[in-house]
Amino acid sequence: MTLSPAPIAPAPAPLLIRGARPYGEDVQDVLVEDGLISAVGTDLPNPGDVEEIEGDGCILLPGLVDLHTHLREPGGEEAETVETGTRAAARGGFTAVHAMANTNPVADTAGVVEQVLRRGEDAAWCAVHPIGAVTVGLAGERLAELESMASSKARVRVFSDDGKCVHDPVLMRRALEYVKTFDGVIAQHAQDPRLTEGAQMHEGRVSAELGLTGWPSVAEESIIARDVLLAEHVGSRLHVCHLSTAGSVEIVRWAKLRGVDVTAEVTPHHLLLTDEEARGYDALYKVNPPLRTQADVEAVRAGLADGTIDIVATDHAPHPQDAKDREWDTAAFGMTGLETALSIVQSTMVDTGAMSWRDVARVLSEKPSLIARDDSQGRPIREGEVANLLLWDPRPRRRVDTAEHASRSHNSPFAGTELPGANRLTLLAARPTVREGRIVERESAAGAAGEC
């Protein structure tokens, strides 16, 4: 099953990327013509009148794919729109995002998911694939129109009530059985609602010292344990959203050893930040699931490195300033993440030696596409493939300035943090969407690119 990328017009000009390192390996030249990678090799000849882009010292990756993005449209345009969210995605090196269903109205019908699809096609900064709700209105009471969303133009294959847990085990079983008929997947927000009533942050020493209601690890782990058993029983696919605890890693590892068809994701912020950040009561660090302990951070890093955790997904959750600029207990949960994701993965996993750049391609491009059954993205860097590409320079270091971000919201916990790496070029079906970290507007898309 192929999900078509957003239509691009006019035809992009040919490009020759010189001396980059695909997947961080051997230096190669890559020629891009007519929307495709037309040649890969050393010392490729310039066929004439082709713009050359210097890639010396840069890593060439397949365009990144985010399986967990909140674009907020329809209904939440004060925080984000498909236009602003996909511009942010392009700046982060993404050529495809999967938009979560907790919009207003909820994406629980074919009409709403097709509306999101059309907005993505109109924006054309990256491919936008709607995620359908599991239950009507995310209420957890009855199944949404799964089949109609799957057979619609949007061809939905990922379903999630993210933001809320499908906590009823009978309903979860039925959802798993239903999506199995068209090779869909349920992406579960693992949070037992009874164990997290009024919860504000991770339950532990820091929450006790701060006097904030704790969010126990078992609230996540118990749902994952239940659901992997249900998936095994039904023989269906399960995806665990934003896994955050050491215990969750062990449960997923155990399930995979049993042959359960389960995949899992970790967010960039759970790879780096801990519950210690809450000590300043800055609601930028308030997120669902909450930031955990250093031991949990180390466990999810190890799980990502050894393949227990399959992918990195941003859980990009924009909020207007007044939803965050308030007391901790009344502030919204969530962080932006599209524009800093790869820098954090580089810092926590590549620069530490835990993963290679080829591993990065796997967890941020290839495997997300496979989970979503989207064979238009995450493709190998080879002749004949669509040129969805990212040219990434791992050498610069910069301080995060949210005023420069393309997202409509600025609730990044990394504001002011020094992070590695810079986006030199993002190509969507061979069309530059970003050059030197800046969005390429339509009329200037053929302008000269800077050097690495």
PDB file of all heavy atoms in Angstrom, residues 163-191:
ATOM      1  N   GLY A 163      -3.472  11.237  23.611  1.00  0.00           N
ATOM      2  CA  GLY A 163      -3.979  12.224  24.549  1.00  0.00           C
ATOM      3  C   GLY A 163      -4.891  11.555  25.549  1.00  0.00           C
ATOM      4  O   GLY A 163      -5.040  12.015  26.682  1.00  0.00           O
ATOM      5  N   LYS A 164      -5.486  10.448  25.108  1.00  0.00           N
ATOM      6  CA  LYS A 164      -6.318   9.614  25.972  1.00  0.00           C
ATOM      7  C   LYS A 164      -5.986   8.150  25.685  1.00  0.00           C
ATOM      8  O   LYS A 164      -5.632   7.785  24.570  1.00  0.00           O
ATOM      9  CB  LYS A 164      -7.806   9.866  25.733  1.00  0.00           C
ATOM     10  CG  LYS A 164      -8.259  11.276  26.083  1.00  0.00           C
ATOM     11  CD  LYS A 164      -9.757  11.426  25.893  1.00  0.00           C
ATOM     12  CE  LYS A 164     -10.215  12.824  26.282  1.00  0.00           C
ATOM     13  NZ  LYS A 164     -11.690  12.978  26.115  1.00  0.00           N
ATOM     14  N   CYS A 165      -6.137   7.344  26.695  1.00  0.00           N
ATOM     15  CA  CYS A 165      -5.893   5.912  26.578  1.00  0.00           C
ATOM     16  C   CYS A 165      -7.175   5.179  26.206  1.00  0.00           C
ATOM     17  O   CYS A 165      -8.258   5.512  26.711  1.00  0.00           O
ATOM     18  CB  CYS A 165      -5.362   5.393  27.922  1.00  0.00           C
ATOM     19  SG  CYS A 165      -5.040   3.619  27.989  1.00  0.00           S
ATOM     20  N   VAL A 166      -7.069   4.207  25.316  1.00  0.00           N
ATOM     21  CA  VAL A 166      -8.187   3.284  25.098  1.00  0.00           C
ATOM     22  C   VAL A 166      -8.141   2.316  26.271  1.00  0.00           C
ATOM     23  O   VAL A 166      -7.489   1.276  26.233  1.00  0.00           O
ATOM     24  CB  VAL A 166      -8.061   2.543  23.755  1.00  0.00           C
ATOM     25  CG1 VAL A 166      -9.285   1.643  23.539  1.00  0.00           C
ATOM     26  CG2 VAL A 166      -7.922   3.533  22.600  1.00  0.00           C
ATOM     27  N   HIS A 167      -8.805   2.705  27.363  1.00  0.00           N
ATOM     28  CA  HIS A 167      -8.621   1.992  28.634  1.00  0.00           C
ATOM     29  C   HIS A 167      -9.528   0.786  28.797  1.00  0.00           C
ATOM     30  O   HIS A 167      -9.244  -0.114  29.586  1.00  0.00           O
ATOM     31  CB  HIS A 167      -8.824   2.949  29.817  1.00  0.00           C
ATOM     32  CG  HIS A 167     -10.183   3.580  29.860  1.00  0.00           C
ATOM     33  ND1 HIS A 167     -11.259   2.985  30.485  1.00  0.00           N
ATOM     34  CD2 HIS A 167     -10.638   4.752  29.359  1.00  0.00           C
ATOM     35  CE1 HIS A 167     -12.321   3.763  30.369  1.00  0.00           C
ATOM     36  NE2 HIS A 167     -11.983   4.841  29.691  1.00  0.00           N
ATOM     37  N   ASP A 168     -10.627   0.718  28.038  1.00  0.00           N
ATOM     38  CA  ASP A 168     -11.544  -0.416  28.121  1.00  0.00           C
ATOM     39  C   ASP A 168     -10.925  -1.599  27.375  1.00  0.00           C
ATOM     40  O   ASP A 168     -10.720  -1.534  26.163  1.00  0.00           O
ATOM     41  CB  ASP A 168     -12.878  -0.033  27.488  1.00  0.00           C
ATOM     42  CG  ASP A 168     -13.936  -1.128  27.603  1.00  0.00           C
ATOM     43  OD1 ASP A 168     -13.568  -2.323  27.615  1.00  0.00           O
ATOM     44  OD2 ASP A 168     -15.133  -0.795  27.651  1.00  0.00           O
ATOM     45  N   PRO A 169     -10.621  -2.701  28.051  1.00  0.00           N
ATOM     46  CA  PRO A 169      -9.941  -3.815  27.377  1.00  0.00           C
ATOM     47  C   PRO A 169     -10.783  -4.474  26.295  1.00  0.00           C
ATOM     48  O   PRO A 169     -10.238  -4.953  25.296  1.00  0.00           O
ATOM     49  CB  PRO A 169      -9.631  -4.788  28.524  1.00  0.00           C
ATOM     50  CG  PRO A 169     -10.592  -4.433  29.611  1.00  0.00           C
ATOM     51  CD  PRO A 169     -10.826  -2.963  29.490  1.00  0.00           C
ATOM     52  N   VAL A 170     -12.094  -4.498  26.474  1.00  0.00           N
ATOM     53  CA  VAL A 170     -12.959  -5.093  25.451  1.00  0.00           C
ATOM     54  C   VAL A 170     -12.931  -4.238  24.182  1.00  0.00           C
ATOM     55  O   VAL A 170     -12.812  -4.749  23.064  1.00  0.00           O
ATOM     56  CB  VAL A 170     -14.401  -5.244  25.976  1.00  0.00           C
ATOM     57  CG1 VAL A 170     -15.325  -5.731  24.852  1.00  0.00           C
ATOM     58  CG2 VAL A 170     -14.449  -6.207  27.153  1.00  0.00           C
ATOM     59  N   LEU A 171     -13.007  -2.931  24.350  1.00  0.00           N
ATOM     60  CA  LEU A 171     -12.963  -2.032  23.204  1.00  0.00           C
ATOM     61  C   LEU A 171     -11.598  -2.103  22.511  1.00  0.00           C
ATOM     62  O   LEU A 171     -11.515  -2.092  21.280  1.00  0.00           O
ATOM     63  CB  LEU A 171     -13.259  -0.600  23.659  1.00  0.00           C
ATOM     64  CG  LEU A 171     -13.676   0.392  22.582  1.00  0.00           C
ATOM     65  CD1 LEU A 171     -14.971  -0.047  21.907  1.00  0.00           C
ATOM     66  CD2 LEU A 171     -13.840   1.790  23.178  1.00  0.00           C
ATOM     67  N   MET A 172     -10.540  -2.194  23.314  1.00  0.00           N
ATOM     68  CA  MET A 172      -9.206  -2.295  22.730  1.00  0.00           C
ATOM     69  C   MET A 172      -9.073  -3.590  21.927  1.00  0.00           C
ATOM     70  O   MET A 172      -8.512  -3.589  20.825  1.00  0.00           O
ATOM     71  CB  MET A 172      -8.146  -2.232  23.828  1.00  0.00           C
ATOM     72  CG  MET A 172      -6.715  -2.220  23.319  1.00  0.00           C
ATOM     73  SD  MET A 172      -6.353  -0.768  22.301  1.00  0.00           S
ATOM     74  CE  MET A 172      -4.611  -1.034  21.967  1.00  0.00           C
ATOM     75  N   ARG A 173      -9.602  -4.681  22.454  1.00  0.00           N
ATOM     76  CA  ARG A 173      -9.553  -5.947  21.710  1.00  0.00           C
ATOM     77  C   ARG A 173     -10.300  -5.822  20.390  1.00  0.00           C
ATOM     78  O   ARG A 173      -9.803  -6.260  19.346  1.00  0.00           O
ATOM     79  CB  ARG A 173     -10.151  -7.068  22.554  1.00  0.00           C
ATOM     80  CG  ARG A 173     -10.266  -8.376  21.771  1.00  0.00           C
ATOM     81  CD  ARG A 173     -10.914  -9.483  22.556  1.00  0.00           C
ATOM     82  NE  ARG A 173     -11.116 -10.660  21.705  1.00  0.00           N
ATOM     83  CZ  ARG A 173     -11.517 -11.839  22.137  1.00  0.00           C
ATOM     84  NH1 ARG A 173     -11.777 -12.027  23.426  1.00  0.00           N
ATOM     85  NH2 ARG A 173     -11.679 -12.847  21.300  1.00  0.00           N
ATOM     86  N   ARG A 174     -11.473  -5.207  20.428  1.00  0.00           N
ATOM     87  CA  ARG A 174     -12.250  -5.063  19.196  1.00  0.00           C
ATOM     88  C   ARG A 174     -11.521  -4.197  18.169  1.00  0.00           C
ATOM     89  O   ARG A 174     -11.534  -4.480  16.974  1.00  0.00           O
ATOM     90  CB  ARG A 174     -13.620  -4.465  19.523  1.00  0.00           C
ATOM     91  CG  ARG A 174     -14.540  -5.427  20.266  1.00  0.00           C
ATOM     92  CD  ARG A 174     -15.821  -4.743  20.669  1.00  0.00           C
ATOM     93  NE  ARG A 174     -16.727  -5.658  21.376  1.00  0.00           N
ATOM     94  CZ  ARG A 174     -17.778  -5.280  22.084  1.00  0.00           C
ATOM     95  NH1 ARG A 174     -18.068  -3.976  22.177  1.00  0.00           N
ATOM     96  NH2 ARG A 174     -18.537  -6.168  22.677  1.00  0.00           N
ATOM     97  N   ALA A 175     -10.882  -3.151  18.645  1.00  0.00           N
ATOM     98  CA  ALA A 175     -10.126  -2.284  17.734  1.00  0.00           C
ATOM     99  C   ALA A 175      -8.986  -3.049  17.077  1.00  0.00           C
ATOM    100  O   ALA A 175      -8.757  -2.940  15.867  1.00  0.00           O
ATOM    101  CB  ALA A 175      -9.590  -1.071  18.498  1.00  0.00           C
ATOM    102  N   LEU A 176      -8.264  -3.827  17.858  1.00  0.00           N
ATOM    103  CA  LEU A 176      -7.172  -4.632  17.311  1.00  0.00           C
ATOM    104  C   LEU A 176      -7.686  -5.638  16.282  1.00  0.00           C
ATOM    105  O   LEU A 176      -7.068  -5.845  15.232  1.00  0.00           O
ATOM    106  CB  LEU A 176      -6.439  -5.354  18.440  1.00  0.00           C
ATOM    107  CG  LEU A 176      -5.572  -4.485  19.355  1.00  0.00           C
ATOM    108  CD1 LEU A 176      -5.198  -5.243  20.623  1.00  0.00           C
ATOM    109  CD2 LEU A 176      -4.305  -4.023  18.614  1.00  0.00           C
ATOM    110  N   GLU A 177      -8.815  -6.263  16.576  1.00  0.00           N
ATOM    111  CA  GLU A 177      -9.400  -7.221  15.639  1.00  0.00           C
ATOM    112  C   GLU A 177      -9.821  -6.529  14.344  1.00  0.00           C
ATOM    113  O   GLU A 177      -9.609  -7.053  13.243  1.00  0.00           O
ATOM    114  CB  GLU A 177     -10.601  -7.909  16.279  1.00  0.00           C
ATOM    115  CG  GLU A 177     -10.232  -8.873  17.397  1.00  0.00           C
ATOM    116  CD  GLU A 177     -11.445  -9.409  18.135  1.00  0.00           C
ATOM    117  OE1 GLU A 177     -12.488  -8.712  18.186  1.00  0.00           O
ATOM    118  OE2 GLU A 177     -11.353 -10.518  18.689  1.00  0.00           O
ATOM    119  N   TYR A 178     -10.396  -5.331  14.478  1.00  0.00           N
ATOM    120  CA  TYR A 178     -10.928  -4.627  13.312  1.00  0.00           C
ATOM    121  C   TYR A 178      -9.816  -4.197  12.372  1.00  0.00           C
ATOM    122  O   TYR A 178      -9.888  -4.421  11.156  1.00  0.00           O
ATOM    123  CB  TYR A 178     -11.731  -3.408  13.778  1.00  0.00           C
ATOM    124  CG  TYR A 178     -12.798  -2.967  12.810  1.00  0.00           C
ATOM    125  CD1 TYR A 178     -14.140  -3.192  13.076  1.00  0.00           C
ATOM    126  CD2 TYR A 178     -12.459  -2.333  11.629  1.00  0.00           C
ATOM    127  CE1 TYR A 178     -15.124  -2.789  12.185  1.00  0.00           C
ATOM    128  CE2 TYR A 178     -13.425  -1.930  10.722  1.00  0.00           C
ATOM    129  CZ  TYR A 178     -14.759  -2.163  11.008  1.00  0.00           C
ATOM    130  OH  TYR A 178     -15.726  -1.774  10.112  1.00  0.00           O
ATOM    131  N   VAL A 179      -8.769  -3.563  12.917  1.00  0.00           N
ATOM    132  CA  VAL A 179      -7.721  -3.046  12.029  1.00  0.00           C
ATOM    133  C   VAL A 179      -6.895  -4.167  11.412  1.00  0.00           C
ATOM    134  O   VAL A 179      -6.251  -3.965  10.376  1.00  0.00           O
ATOM    135  CB  VAL A 179      -6.795  -2.036  12.758  1.00  0.00           C
ATOM    136  CG1 VAL A 179      -7.595  -0.843  13.263  1.00  0.00           C
ATOM    137  CG2 VAL A 179      -6.002  -2.687  13.877  1.00  0.00           C
ATOM    138  N   LYS A 180      -6.916  -5.326  12.012  1.00  0.00           N
ATOM    139  CA  LYS A 180      -6.190  -6.460  11.452  1.00  0.00           C
ATOM    140  C   LYS A 180      -6.691  -6.800  10.053  1.00  0.00           C
ATOM    141  O   LYS A 180      -5.917  -7.264   9.195  1.00  0.00           O
ATOM    142  CB  LYS A 180      -6.340  -7.672  12.371  1.00  0.00           C
ATOM    143  CG  LYS A 180      -5.619  -8.923  11.894  1.00  0.00           C
ATOM    144  CD  LYS A 180      -5.866 -10.092  12.838  1.00  0.00           C
ATOM    145  CE  LYS A 180      -5.208 -11.359  12.320  1.00  0.00           C
ATOM    146  NZ  LYS A 180      -5.463 -12.518  13.218  1.00  0.00           N
ATOM    147  N   THR A 181      -7.951  -6.520   9.761  1.00  0.00           N
ATOM    148  CA  THR A 181      -8.539  -6.893   8.481  1.00  0.00           C
ATOM    149  C   THR A 181      -7.938  -6.112   7.315  1.00  0.00           C
ATOM    150  O   THR A 181      -8.017  -6.550   6.166  1.00  0.00           O
ATOM    151  CB  THR A 181     -10.066  -6.686   8.492  1.00  0.00           C
ATOM    152  OG1 THR A 181     -10.357  -5.293   8.704  1.00  0.00           O
ATOM    153  CG2 THR A 181     -10.706  -7.511   9.601  1.00  0.00           C
ATOM    154  N   PHE A 182      -7.365  -4.921   7.590  1.00  0.00           N
ATOM    155  CA  PHE A 182      -6.727  -4.153   6.515  1.00  0.00           C
ATOM    156  C   PHE A 182      -5.287  -3.774   6.875  1.00  0.00           C
ATOM    157  O   PHE A 182      -4.740  -2.808   6.355  1.00  0.00           O
ATOM    158  CB  PHE A 182      -7.547  -2.906   6.146  1.00  0.00           C
ATOM    159  CG  PHE A 182      -7.988  -2.062   7.325  1.00  0.00           C
ATOM    160  CD1 PHE A 182      -7.103  -1.206   7.969  1.00  0.00           C
ATOM    161  CD2 PHE A 182      -9.304  -2.126   7.784  1.00  0.00           C
ATOM    162  CE1 PHE A 182      -7.504  -0.427   9.025  1.00  0.00           C
ATOM    163  CE2 PHE A 182      -9.719  -1.352   8.861  1.00  0.00           C
ATOM    164  CZ  PHE A 182      -8.817  -0.497   9.488  1.00  0.00           C
ATOM    165  N   ASP A 183      -4.666  -4.575   7.752  1.00  0.00           N
ATOM    166  CA  ASP A 183      -3.269  -4.390   8.136  1.00  0.00           C
ATOM    167  C   ASP A 183      -3.020  -3.017   8.754  1.00  0.00           C
ATOM    168  O   ASP A 183      -1.989  -2.390   8.534  1.00  0.00           O
ATOM    169  CB  ASP A 183      -2.328  -4.602   6.942  1.00  0.00           C
ATOM    170  CG  ASP A 183      -0.876  -4.803   7.379  1.00  0.00           C
ATOM    171  OD1 ASP A 183      -0.658  -5.250   8.519  1.00  0.00           O
ATOM    172  OD2 ASP A 183       0.033  -4.489   6.589  1.00  0.00           O
ATOM    173  N   GLY A 184      -3.967  -2.566   9.559  1.00  0.00           N
ATOM    174  CA  GLY A 184      -3.784  -1.326  10.303  1.00  0.00           C
ATOM    175  C   GLY A 184      -3.092  -1.582  11.628  1.00  0.00           C
ATOM    176  O   GLY A 184      -2.755  -2.718  11.975  1.00  0.00           O
ATOM    177  N   VAL A 185      -2.868  -0.514  12.370  1.00  0.00           N
ATOM    178  CA  VAL A 185      -2.204  -0.618  13.662  1.00  0.00           C
ATOM    179  C   VAL A 185      -2.866   0.336  14.642  1.00  0.00           C
ATOM    180  O   VAL A 185      -3.270   1.446  14.277  1.00  0.00           O
ATOM    181  CB  VAL A 185      -0.692  -0.318  13.535  1.00  0.00           C
ATOM    182  CG1 VAL A 185      -0.432   1.103  13.065  1.00  0.00           C
ATOM    183  CG2 VAL A 185       0.035  -0.582  14.850  1.00  0.00           C
ATOM    184  N   ILE A 186      -2.999  -0.121  15.878  1.00  0.00           N
ATOM    185  CA  ILE A 186      -3.479   0.738  16.957  1.00  0.00           C
ATOM    186  C   ILE A 186      -2.274   1.309  17.687  1.00  0.00           C
ATOM    187  O   ILE A 186      -1.424   0.561  18.194  1.00  0.00           O
ATOM    188  CB  ILE A 186      -4.373  -0.030  17.948  1.00  0.00           C
ATOM    189  CG1 ILE A 186      -5.583  -0.630  17.241  1.00  0.00           C
ATOM    190  CG2 ILE A 186      -4.807   0.902  19.093  1.00  0.00           C
ATOM    191  CD1 ILE A 186      -6.534   0.377  16.636  1.00  0.00           C
ATOM    192  N   ALA A 187      -2.189   2.641  17.734  1.00  0.00           N
ATOM    193  CA  ALA A 187      -1.106   3.333  18.442  1.00  0.00           C
ATOM    194  C   ALA A 187      -1.659   3.793  19.786  1.00  0.00           C
ATOM    195  O   ALA A 187      -2.430   4.748  19.851  1.00  0.00           O
ATOM    196  CB  ALA A 187      -0.593   4.513  17.623  1.00  0.00           C
ATOM    197  N   GLN A 188      -1.258   3.102  20.826  1.00  0.00           N
ATOM    198  CA  GLN A 188      -1.862   3.299  22.143  1.00  0.00           C
ATOM    199  C   GLN A 188      -1.121   4.330  22.985  1.00  0.00           C
ATOM    200  O   GLN A 188       0.105   4.303  23.101  1.00  0.00           O
ATOM    201  CB  GLN A 188      -1.901   1.965  22.905  1.00  0.00           C
ATOM    202  CG  GLN A 188      -2.386   2.034  24.349  1.00  0.00           C
ATOM    203  CD  GLN A 188      -3.866   2.357  24.494  1.00  0.00           C
ATOM    204  OE1 GLN A 188      -4.301   3.460  24.159  1.00  0.00           O
ATOM    205  NE2 GLN A 188      -4.630   1.396  25.008  1.00  0.00           N
ATOM    206  N   HIS A 189      -1.888   5.242  23.552  1.00  0.00           N
ATOM    207  CA  HIS A 189      -1.412   6.164  24.583  1.00  0.00           C
ATOM    208  C   HIS A 189      -1.575   5.423  25.913  1.00  0.00           C
ATOM    209  O   HIS A 189      -2.675   5.339  26.454  1.00  0.00           O
ATOM    210  CB  HIS A 189      -2.249   7.452  24.560  1.00  0.00           C
ATOM    211  CG  HIS A 189      -1.938   8.425  25.633  1.00  0.00           C
ATOM    212  ND1 HIS A 189      -1.326   9.638  25.384  1.00  0.00           N
ATOM    213  CD2 HIS A 189      -2.164   8.402  26.966  1.00  0.00           C
ATOM    214  CE1 HIS A 189      -1.192  10.305  26.515  1.00  0.00           C
ATOM    215  NE2 HIS A 189      -1.698   9.579  27.489  1.00  0.00           N
ATOM    216  N   ALA A 190      -0.480   4.872  26.416  1.00  0.00           N
ATOM    217  CA  ALA A 190      -0.547   3.967  27.563  1.00  0.00           C
ATOM    218  C   ALA A 190      -0.588   4.747  28.875  1.00  0.00           C
ATOM    219  O   ALA A 190       0.445   5.150  29.409  1.00  0.00           O
ATOM    220  CB  ALA A 190       0.637   3.003  27.549  1.00  0.00           C
ATOM    221  N   GLN A 191      -1.787   4.955  29.380  1.00  0.00           N
ATOM    222  CA  GLN A 191      -1.966   5.714  30.625  1.00  0.00           C
ATOM    223  C   GLN A 191      -3.251   5.264  31.301  1.00  0.00           C
ATOM    224  O   GLN A 191      -4.348   5.601  30.847  1.00  0.00           O
ATOM    225  CB  GLN A 191      -2.028   7.215  30.330  1.00  0.00           C
ATOM    226  CG  GLN A 191      -2.305   8.068  31.559  1.00  0.00           C
ATOM    227  CD  GLN A 191      -2.689   9.497  31.209  1.00  0.00           C
ATOM    228  OE1 GLN A 191      -2.565   9.922  30.057  1.00  0.00           O
ATOM    229  NE2 GLN A 191      -3.160  10.256  32.188  1.00  0.00           N
TER     230      GLN A 191
END
